[in-house]
Amino acid sequence: NRGYIYKIKRIRKSDISREVYIVRAHGDNYSFYLRKENIVKHSKNIKDLIEVGDIVNGYLINETTWGILVHKAHGIDRSGFSIPVAQYNEDIKTILTKEQYNENCYKVKGE
């Protein structure tokens, strides 16, 4: 529910009779507990978890067309053209969710 994407390692019931997922963060070497109510979406297909506004492989995702994650770029004349970012799960190398971006973003204010 905070914009992070994790891979589920195993599922078990906790001692307090509430279902708790034990998840492992992708690429990290530690496990931690995560309650079921803190999971917003789940899928075996990583592309199902990516939303408009997330950054995939360094590109801002503006839309999904026919299952392909798309970045709409603007040229000098400001006409939009689409760049396919990822069609298959194997095409995805990095993901920065919009929630993670906003959480770690520094805004510069003028005087």
Side-chain angles (χ1 to χ4, degrees):
N1 63 358
R2 295 186 181 169
Y4 292 93
I5 298 174
Y6 299 107
K7 180 178 180 183
I8 293 179
K9 186 175 173 182
R10 67 179 168 257
I11 300 173
R12 74 169 197 193
K13 293 271 190 177
S14 72
D15 296 335
I16 56 174
S17 300
R18 296 177 80 186
E19 193 168 8
V20 174
Y21 290 103
I22 300 175
V23 299
R24 182 177 190 159
H26 179 70
D28 293 337
N29 292 323
Y30 64 92
S31 297
F32 59 94
Y33 296 97
L34 181 64
R35 285 191 165 35
K36 184 178 179 181
E37 59 264 18
N38 291 333
I39 297 175
V40 176
K41 287 198 284 188
H42 62 87
S43 176
K44 290 184 179 182
N45 185 351
I46 190 77
K47 283 177 48 184
D48 294 340
L49 303 176
I50 297 171
E51 300 174 342
V52 170
D54 292 344
I55 298 171
V56 176
N57 299 341
Y59 292 95
L60 175 67
I61 300 303
N62 299 95
E63 66 181 66
T64 301
T65 305
W66 300 349
I68 301 172
L69 303 173
V70 174
H71 167 70
K72 283 209 169 200
H74 295 281
I76 295 171
D77 63 356
R78 296 290 186 212
S79 61
F81 58 94
S82 298
I83 298 173
V85 174
Q87 182 172 5
Y88 304 103
N89 285 336
E90 298 81 34
D91 298 333
I92 299 170
K93 304 300 179 209
T94 61
I95 300 171
L96 177 65
T97 65
K98 61 183 171 237
E99 293 87 359
Q100 289 173 307
Y101 175 83
N102 289 331
E103 182 179 306
N104 295 297
C105 184
Y106 294 97
K107 298 192 183 201
V108 178
K109 294 184 179 182
E111 294 184 47

